[in-house]
Amino acid sequence: MEGSPYNCIVLLGPTAVGKTSLAVRIASHYGWDIISADSRQVYKGLDLGSGKDLSEYTDAGVRCHLLDVATLQSEYNVFNFQQAFYSLFDEFSACGKMPFVCGGTGMYVDSVVRGYSFVDVPKNDALRNELSEKPLEELAGQLLRLRPNLHNKTDLLDRERTLRAIEIETFMQSEEGKALAEADRAKRKVKAFVLGLTMPRENLRQNIKIRLKERFDLGMIDEVRQLHERDGYSWERLEKLGLEYRFISQFLEGKIASFEELFETLYHAICQFAKRQETWFRGMERKGVDIHWLSRDGSKDAVYSQALDLIEKNAAFV
């Protein structure tokens, strides 16, 4: 890493674009570990539905971090991810190994690329008393006015989470909050070289359909059933995980009438999710993040060679 302007490599892209297989090849080539940036793969038991593809890592002898580090009994969030990443970043940097992040959760990736500032915000009893009589709908509106680009919409569904989010946002927009955030940003030391993997929209939709069928064939419905029946997680908790866990839970609850309806509903929802991921990455570019896009309209070998060439020319450390 000596002499390089970068001290971290990131590979991002939408779901089903082939990030994992490419990341494994890159990591294997350089002898790196991978740091996963996926908001559902952190949870134990969410394997098929989250697309962990564990065999890709083990078959290649590549270690992947931040998989299976939490249970569904707790909420794992972007702050937890960022802190875990910084710990690994320090560990790898100390031994001369390049930290290598791969994932599609835009906020997780962005939190380390642009160095989100998280401050330990104190409880504001006066503000809470002022808001105590307001209905959830009014609280949600207030939060959206404070933070129009709110990413985690689940904060709007729970009164306590909405109150806490208002409390945090109010503090962070105060002079004290801004000063603490600026001091926190000054400590950041991550300079990431960012690769992005993409492909034509129709190809991606076909990949999503093929991958979805494979995961159903491997027993994705049984995975969700066991999380409820064996592990005791409520349907409400599982539905909050979104996509596969949301719609399969509804199918098992009888809210979705047939497997055919489940497949089509879920397929279209994942396609929409992929579009939202791409929108997030374009937003990162508008905010100044330089993403070096690799196109998957060629062979996998061609994309792999392009990735190595970009890494070695721009993050010259090998």
Side-chain angles (χ1 to χ4, degrees):
M1 289 163 44
E2 186 175 352
S4 170
Y6 302 102
N7 55 15
C8 179
I9 307 293
V10 172
L11 174 63
L12 56 77
T15 187
V17 79
K19 293 187 301 295
T20 299
S21 58
L22 177 59
V24 166
R25 290 186 72 179
I26 293 171
S28 182
H29 177 80
Y30 290 117
W32 295 342
D33 291 3
I34 295 173
I35 302 172
S36 170
D38 188 291
S39 62
R40 297 189 304 172
Q41 292 183 8
V42 297
Y43 291 112
K44 297 175 183 177
L46 273 57
D47 299 330
L48 292 171
S50 70
K52 277 181 190 162
D53 300 323
L54 294 171
S55 62
E56 291 208 45
Y57 306 112
T58 55
D59 291 349
V62 171
R63 187 177 181 190
C64 187
H65 300 263
L66 304 189
L67 301 178
D68 298 332
V69 295
T71 71
L72 289 174
Q73 293 173 338
S74 60
E75 291 278 354
Y76 195 95
N77 58 35
V78 64
F79 173 77
N80 301 135
F81 168 79
Q82 190 192 58
Q83 295 306 302
F85 166 80
Y86 284 139
S87 178
L88 290 167
F89 177 88
D90 290 340
E91 177 187 331
F92 293 166
S93 299
C95 64
K97 181 181 289 188
M98 180 68 82
F100 179 34
V101 178
C102 175
T105 299
M107 182 173 280
Y108 279 24
V109 173
D110 205 20
S111 75
V112 299
V113 171
R114 293 199 301 120
Y116 286 13
S117 294
F118 291 106
V119 175
D120 187 13
V121 177
K123 189 174 180 180
N124 187 334
D125 290 324
L127 178 62
R128 283 177 173 261
N129 287 336
E130 179 186 327
L131 301 175
S132 62
E133 300 300 322
K134 292 188 177 183
L136 179 57
E137 182 178 348
E138 189 173 339
L139 293 175
Q142 182 168 339
L143 177 56
L144 288 172
R145 286 191 295 275
L146 285 167
R147 192 171 182 179
N149 297 321
L150 182 69
H151 175 70
N152 188 2
K153 301 297 185 183
T154 57
D155 281 347
L156 304 176
L157 304 177
D158 179 270
R159 183 178 182 83
E160 179 55 35
R161 289 181 64 169
T162 305
L163 280 170
R164 180 57 179 163
I166 292 172
E167 192 172 52
I168 291 171
E169 203 58 41
T170 300
F171 179 81
M172 295 307 298
Q173 293 185 20
S174 70
E175 291 304 314
E176 181 183 0
K178 289 176 182 176
L180 288 172
E182 187 59 36
D184 186 60
R185 272 192 294 271
K187 300 176 186 176
R188 298 297 178 242
K189 51 194 173 185
V190 177
K191 297 179 181 179
F193 181 75
V194 184
L195 296 169
L197 189 57
T198 185
M199 65 170 48
R201 182 65 52 80
E202 280 307 308
N203 294 23
L204 183 61
R205 290 173 70 91
Q206 185 63 23
N207 272 10
I208 289 171
K209 182 168 286 189
I210 291 170
R211 191 165 180 250
L212 183 58
K213 184 179 185 306
E214 289 174 347
R215 289 189 291 157
F216 272 123
D217 290 344
L218 288 170
M220 188 162 59
I221 291 177
D222 286 336
E223 175 176 283
V224 179
R225 181 184 290 112
Q226 288 176 10
L227 286 166
H228 176 69
E229 295 181 355
R230 183 193 64 194
D231 301 331
Y233 295 114
S234 67
W235 293 127
E236 180 184 11
R237 178 69 180 101
L238 295 173
E239 287 191 34
K240 282 184 177 180
L241 296 167
L243 293 177
E244 294 85 354
Y245 296 98
R246 175 188 175 195
F247 292 109
I248 292 175
S249 291
Q250 291 177 354
F251 172 71
L252 292 172
E253 292 175 87
K255 297 177 181 178
I256 295 177
S258 67
F259 175 78
E260 290 73 22
E261 181 185 349
L262 168 63
F263 187 95
E264 286 303 312
T265 302
L266 182 51
Y267 164 67
H268 289 294
I270 296 173
C271 290
Q272 289 299 312
F273 172 66
K275 286 178 65 176
R276 291 196 299 274
Q277 288 177 295
E278 291 171 331
T279 299
W280 182 279
F281 301 141
R282 288 195 296 272
M284 288 175 62
E285 289 183 299
R286 287 194 297 272
K287 293 168 184 172
V289 177
D290 191 8
I291 301 177
H292 300 79
W293 289 101
L294 309 166
S295 177
R296 272 292 305 273
D297 53 5
S299 71
K300 290 183 179 181
D301 288 343
V303 174
Y304 170 62
S305 296
Q306 183 188 3
L308 294 189
D309 186 57
L310 282 167
I311 290 171
E312 294 180 12
K313 284 182 178 178
N314 294 279
F317 58 91
V318 293

mmCIF file of all heavy atoms in Angstrom, residues 74-94:
data_model
loop_
_atom_site.group_PDB
_atom_site.id
_atom_site.type_symbol
_atom_site.label_atom_id
_atom_site.label_comp_id
_atom_site.label_asym_id
_atom_site.label_seq_id
_atom_site.Cartn_x
_atom_site.Cartn_y
_atom_site.Cartn_z
ATOM 1 N N SER A 74 -31.866 -8.504 17.554
ATOM 2 C CA SER A 74 -31.437 -7.110 17.636
ATOM 3 C C SER A 74 -31.442 -6.493 16.242
ATOM 4 O O SER A 74 -31.503 -7.199 15.240
ATOM 5 C CB SER A 74 -30.027 -7.021 18.239
ATOM 6 O OG SER A 74 -29.105 -7.726 17.425
ATOM 7 N N GLU A 75 -31.375 -5.170 16.202
ATOM 8 C CA GLU A 75 -31.326 -4.445 14.930
ATOM 9 C C GLU A 75 -29.871 -4.078 14.636
ATOM 10 O O GLU A 75 -29.219 -3.405 15.433
ATOM 11 C CB GLU A 75 -32.170 -3.168 15.001
ATOM 12 C CG GLU A 75 -33.662 -3.405 15.093
ATOM 13 C CD GLU A 75 -34.296 -3.674 13.738
ATOM 14 O OE1 GLU A 75 -33.590 -3.563 12.713
ATOM 15 O OE2 GLU A 75 -35.505 -3.988 13.720
ATOM 16 N N TYR A 76 -29.359 -4.534 13.517
ATOM 17 C CA TYR A 76 -28.018 -4.160 13.073
ATOM 18 C C TYR A 76 -28.184 -2.991 12.107
ATOM 19 O O TYR A 76 -28.985 -3.062 11.181
ATOM 20 C CB TYR A 76 -27.354 -5.347 12.380
ATOM 21 C CG TYR A 76 -25.861 -5.214 12.195
ATOM 22 C CD1 TYR A 76 -24.974 -5.761 13.112
ATOM 23 C CD2 TYR A 76 -25.330 -4.568 11.090
ATOM 24 C CE1 TYR A 76 -23.600 -5.660 12.947
ATOM 25 C CE2 TYR A 76 -23.955 -4.453 10.908
ATOM 26 C CZ TYR A 76 -23.101 -5.001 11.830
ATOM 27 O OH TYR A 76 -21.730 -4.896 11.656
ATOM 28 N N ASN A 77 -27.422 -1.925 12.322
ATOM 29 C CA ASN A 77 -27.633 -0.734 11.505
ATOM 30 C C ASN A 77 -26.330 -0.222 10.912
ATOM 31 O O ASN A 77 -25.254 -0.810 11.099
ATOM 32 C CB ASN A 77 -28.334 0.355 12.323
ATOM 33 C CG ASN A 77 -27.540 0.731 13.576
ATOM 34 O OD1 ASN A 77 -26.310 0.740 13.574
ATOM 35 N ND2 ASN A 77 -28.245 1.055 14.654
ATOM 36 N N VAL A 78 -26.408 0.894 10.206
ATOM 37 C CA VAL A 78 -25.248 1.428 9.502
ATOM 38 C C VAL A 78 -24.150 1.844 10.477
ATOM 39 O O VAL A 78 -22.954 1.721 10.171
ATOM 40 C CB VAL A 78 -25.662 2.596 8.581
ATOM 41 C CG1 VAL A 78 -26.194 3.771 9.380
ATOM 42 C CG2 VAL A 78 -24.508 3.027 7.688
ATOM 43 N N PHE A 79 -24.524 2.307 11.670
ATOM 44 C CA PHE A 79 -23.516 2.647 12.674
ATOM 45 C C PHE A 79 -22.751 1.397 13.101
ATOM 46 O O PHE A 79 -21.516 1.425 13.203
ATOM 47 C CB PHE A 79 -24.177 3.308 13.886
ATOM 48 C CG PHE A 79 -23.224 3.541 15.032
ATOM 49 C CD1 PHE A 79 -22.314 4.584 14.991
ATOM 50 C CD2 PHE A 79 -23.238 2.721 16.153
ATOM 51 C CE1 PHE A 79 -21.427 4.800 16.045
ATOM 52 C CE2 PHE A 79 -22.361 2.924 17.202
ATOM 53 C CZ PHE A 79 -21.456 3.971 17.148
ATOM 54 N N ASN A 80 -23.473 0.290 13.353
ATOM 55 C CA ASN A 80 -22.806 -0.965 13.715
ATOM 56 C C ASN A 80 -21.839 -1.399 12.620
ATOM 57 O O ASN A 80 -20.719 -1.835 12.895
ATOM 58 C CB ASN A 80 -23.832 -2.078 13.942
ATOM 59 C CG ASN A 80 -24.833 -1.769 15.026
ATOM 60 O OD1 ASN A 80 -26.038 -1.976 14.871
ATOM 61 N ND2 ASN A 80 -24.362 -1.246 16.149
ATOM 62 N N PHE A 81 -22.308 -1.293 11.360
ATOM 63 C CA PHE A 81 -21.452 -1.686 10.246
ATOM 64 C C PHE A 81 -20.201 -0.818 10.180
ATOM 65 O O PHE A 81 -19.077 -1.328 10.032
ATOM 66 C CB PHE A 81 -22.207 -1.587 8.912
ATOM 67 C CG PHE A 81 -21.296 -1.696 7.720
ATOM 68 C CD1 PHE A 81 -20.832 -2.933 7.304
ATOM 69 C CD2 PHE A 81 -20.872 -0.557 7.044
ATOM 70 C CE1 PHE A 81 -19.954 -3.036 6.229
ATOM 71 C CE2 PHE A 81 -20.001 -0.652 5.972
ATOM 72 C CZ PHE A 81 -19.538 -1.895 5.561
ATOM 73 N N GLN A 82 -20.382 0.495 10.285
ATOM 74 C CA GLN A 82 -19.243 1.389 10.158
ATOM 75 C C GLN A 82 -18.193 1.115 11.233
ATOM 76 O O GLN A 82 -16.989 1.072 10.952
ATOM 77 C CB GLN A 82 -19.697 2.849 10.229
ATOM 78 C CG GLN A 82 -18.599 3.837 9.870
ATOM 79 C CD GLN A 82 -18.978 5.260 10.236
ATOM 80 O OE1 GLN A 82 -19.262 5.554 11.401
ATOM 81 N NE2 GLN A 82 -18.974 6.148 9.257
ATOM 82 N N GLN A 83 -18.659 0.904 12.468
ATOM 83 C CA GLN A 83 -17.713 0.626 13.547
ATOM 84 C C GLN A 83 -16.974 -0.693 13.333
ATOM 85 O O GLN A 83 -15.762 -0.793 13.576
ATOM 86 C CB GLN A 83 -18.452 0.617 14.895
ATOM 87 C CG GLN A 83 -19.022 1.969 15.282
ATOM 88 C CD GLN A 83 -17.983 3.068 15.280
ATOM 89 O OE1 GLN A 83 -16.985 2.989 15.986
ATOM 90 N NE2 GLN A 83 -18.207 4.111 14.486
ATOM 91 N N ALA A 84 -17.695 -1.714 12.861
ATOM 92 C CA ALA A 84 -17.056 -2.999 12.572
ATOM 93 C C ALA A 84 -16.057 -2.856 11.433
ATOM 94 O O ALA A 84 -14.967 -3.445 11.458
ATOM 95 C CB ALA A 84 -18.114 -4.047 12.227
ATOM 96 N N PHE A 85 -16.427 -2.070 10.418
ATOM 97 C CA PHE A 85 -15.503 -1.845 9.301
ATOM 98 C C PHE A 85 -14.227 -1.168 9.783
ATOM 99 O O PHE A 85 -13.120 -1.571 9.410
ATOM 100 C CB PHE A 85 -16.164 -0.989 8.219
ATOM 101 C CG PHE A 85 -15.160 -0.445 7.232
ATOM 102 C CD1 PHE A 85 -14.684 -1.237 6.202
ATOM 103 C CD2 PHE A 85 -14.654 0.844 7.374
ATOM 104 C CE1 PHE A 85 -13.723 -0.755 5.313
ATOM 105 C CE2 PHE A 85 -13.698 1.327 6.492
ATOM 106 C CZ PHE A 85 -13.233 0.528 5.460
ATOM 107 N N TYR A 86 -14.357 -0.112 10.597
ATOM 108 C CA TYR A 86 -13.164 0.605 11.046
ATOM 109 C C TYR A 86 -12.232 -0.303 11.842
ATOM 110 O O TYR A 86 -11.001 -0.187 11.752
ATOM 111 C CB TYR A 86 -13.556 1.821 11.884
ATOM 112 C CG TYR A 86 -14.075 2.981 11.065
ATOM 113 C CD1 TYR A 86 -15.168 3.723 11.495
ATOM 114 C CD2 TYR A 86 -13.482 3.338 9.856
ATOM 115 C CE1 TYR A 86 -15.649 4.786 10.743
ATOM 116 C CE2 TYR A 86 -13.963 4.385 9.107
ATOM 117 C CZ TYR A 86 -15.044 5.112 9.554
ATOM 118 O OH TYR A 86 -15.517 6.155 8.802
ATOM 119 N N SER A 87 -12.802 -1.196 12.618
ATOM 120 C CA SER A 87 -11.975 -2.141 13.374
ATOM 121 C C SER A 87 -11.182 -3.036 12.425
ATOM 122 O O SER A 87 -9.976 -3.249 12.611
ATOM 123 C CB SER A 87 -12.868 -2.990 14.296
ATOM 124 O OG SER A 87 -12.096 -3.936 14.996
ATOM 125 N N LEU A 88 -11.862 -3.561 11.384
ATOM 126 C CA LEU A 88 -11.177 -4.396 10.397
ATOM 127 C C LEU A 88 -10.181 -3.566 9.589
ATOM 128 O O LEU A 88 -9.081 -4.045 9.266
ATOM 129 C CB LEU A 88 -12.201 -5.046 9.466
ATOM 130 C CG LEU A 88 -13.074 -6.131 10.098
ATOM 131 C CD1 LEU A 88 -14.253 -6.460 9.186
ATOM 132 C CD2 LEU A 88 -12.247 -7.388 10.369
ATOM 133 N N PHE A 89 -10.547 -2.343 9.253
ATOM 134 C CA PHE A 89 -9.659 -1.456 8.498
ATOM 135 C C PHE A 89 -8.344 -1.264 9.248
ATOM 136 O O PHE A 89 -7.253 -1.379 8.662
ATOM 137 C CB PHE A 89 -10.355 -0.117 8.271
ATOM 138 C CG PHE A 89 -9.513 0.903 7.563
ATOM 139 C CD1 PHE A 89 -9.500 0.955 6.177
ATOM 140 C CD2 PHE A 89 -8.748 1.819 8.274
ATOM 141 C CE1 PHE A 89 -8.718 1.894 5.508
ATOM 142 C CE2 PHE A 89 -7.980 2.752 7.627
ATOM 143 C CZ PHE A 89 -7.952 2.800 6.240
ATOM 144 N N ASP A 90 -8.431 -0.993 10.534
ATOM 145 C CA ASP A 90 -7.220 -0.793 11.338
ATOM 146 C C ASP A 90 -6.398 -2.076 11.409
ATOM 147 O O ASP A 90 -5.165 -2.045 11.313
ATOM 148 C CB ASP A 90 -7.594 -0.341 12.750
ATOM 149 C CG ASP A 90 -8.161 1.076 12.779
ATOM 150 O OD1 ASP A 90 -7.928 1.831 11.813
ATOM 151 O OD2 ASP A 90 -8.851 1.413 13.764
ATOM 152 N N GLU A 91 -7.106 -3.206 11.570
ATOM 153 C CA GLU A 91 -6.411 -4.498 11.666
ATOM 154 C C GLU A 91 -5.663 -4.817 10.377
ATOM 155 O O GLU A 91 -4.491 -5.198 10.395
ATOM 156 C CB GLU A 91 -7.439 -5.601 11.963
ATOM 157 C CG GLU A 91 -6.860 -6.999 12.011
ATOM 158 C CD GLU A 91 -7.946 -8.055 12.134
ATOM 159 O OE1 GLU A 91 -9.009 -7.743 12.714
ATOM 160 O OE2 GLU A 91 -7.737 -9.189 11.660
ATOM 161 N N PHE A 92 -6.338 -4.663 9.238
ATOM 162 C CA PHE A 92 -5.712 -4.981 7.954
ATOM 163 C C PHE A 92 -4.585 -4.002 7.633
ATOM 164 O O PHE A 92 -3.525 -4.399 7.148
ATOM 165 C CB PHE A 92 -6.748 -4.957 6.834
ATOM 166 C CG PHE A 92 -7.794 -6.042 6.919
ATOM 167 C CD1 PHE A 92 -8.937 -5.971 6.159
ATOM 168 C CD2 PHE A 92 -7.632 -7.125 7.774
ATOM 169 C CE1 PHE A 92 -9.903 -6.954 6.227
ATOM 170 C CE2 PHE A 92 -8.588 -8.112 7.864
ATOM 171 C CZ PHE A 92 -9.736 -8.032 7.083
ATOM 172 N N SER A 93 -4.840 -2.717 7.876
ATOM 173 C CA SER A 93 -3.826 -1.705 7.566
ATOM 174 C C SER A 93 -2.550 -1.935 8.361
ATOM 175 O O SER A 93 -1.444 -1.733 7.858
ATOM 176 C CB SER A 93 -4.378 -0.307 7.848
ATOM 177 O OG SER A 93 -5.510 -0.036 7.045
ATOM 178 N N ALA A 94 -2.699 -2.368 9.614
ATOM 179 C CA ALA A 94 -1.536 -2.593 10.477
ATOM 180 C C ALA A 94 -0.630 -3.691 9.952
ATOM 181 O O ALA A 94 0.585 -3.667 10.174
ATOM 182 C CB ALA A 94 -2.003 -2.919 11.900
#
